[in-house]
Amino acid sequence: MELGKPEHREAAANLVAAARSLCQVSKQVNTEEINQQLIDLFGPDAPEVQAANQPEAFPVLEENWPAIQLFLQCQTQWNYLSGMTIAKTGLNYQAVETVMRLCYADEDPADLFKRVQAIENEVLKAERG
């Protein structure tokens, strides 16, 4: 699938939105103080306390699900550039290819890789601000 083609806009937009949602989950604020306030007000088992500790669900299109799963499986495979600050430069594509080969043999590898790159790009943009 060519993510830039008009007929694939919905899938591409969903991948971008899913990647942004993943970034929001990974950038959650330390909620200990807020959680303690909620516990003090409502008790530890109150739905408000439980809801505060759950990330918002994001609907992912079925055709994007393998790419989301593959991306999540490769979260420990970031390349970093070190200097005055340490920054992610992208995923280790050899590791992505290995996971793709072992776990996603039924998927079109070129299409799956393009989708993972779209997610990777959004994550890098979000982290760089």
Side-chain angles (χ1 to χ4, degrees):
M1 174 178 82
E2 296 287 330
L3 290 176
K5 289 189 175 181
E7 62 267 24
H8 300 294
R9 278 193 188 137
E10 181 183 9
N14 181 254
L15 271 178
V16 168
R20 289 179 183 159
S21 180
L22 287 171
C23 291
Q24 292 300 334
V25 170
S26 68
K27 286 186 168 185
Q28 286 183 348
V29 177
N30 183 345
T31 58
E32 288 180 27
E33 185 178 326
I34 295 169
N35 283 343
Q36 190 56 53
Q37 291 173 354
L38 289 171
I39 290 168
D40 292 345
L41 286 170
F42 303 110
D45 297 322
E48 293 85 358
V49 174
Q50 302 304 315
N53 291 308
Q54 297 297 319
E56 286 187 41
F58 183 85
V60 175
L61 294 176
E62 185 176 339
E63 66 241 44
N64 289 333
W65 190 240
I68 295 291
Q69 288 179 309
L70 174 58
F71 180 80
L72 292 173
Q73 287 174 299
C74 293
Q75 282 298 287
T76 60
Q77 298 304 315
W78 287 100
N79 291 314
Y80 290 88
L81 177 65
S82 60
M84 291 180 64
T85 61
I86 297 174
K88 288 180 182 175
T89 59
L91 289 170
N92 175 337
Y93 289 159
Q94 291 171 327
V96 173
E97 181 185 18
T98 299
V99 175
M100 202 166 46
R101 205 170 356 93
L102 292 172
C103 301
Y104 298 93
D106 295 340
E107 300 291 331
D108 174 15
D111 178 60
L112 186 57
F113 186 69
K114 285 179 185 178
R115 290 173 191 261
V116 169
Q117 283 185 306
I119 298 167
E120 172 194 37
N121 184 45
E122 285 303 312
V123 169
L124 289 171
K125 283 194 312 191
E127 290 193 359
R128 292 176 184 155

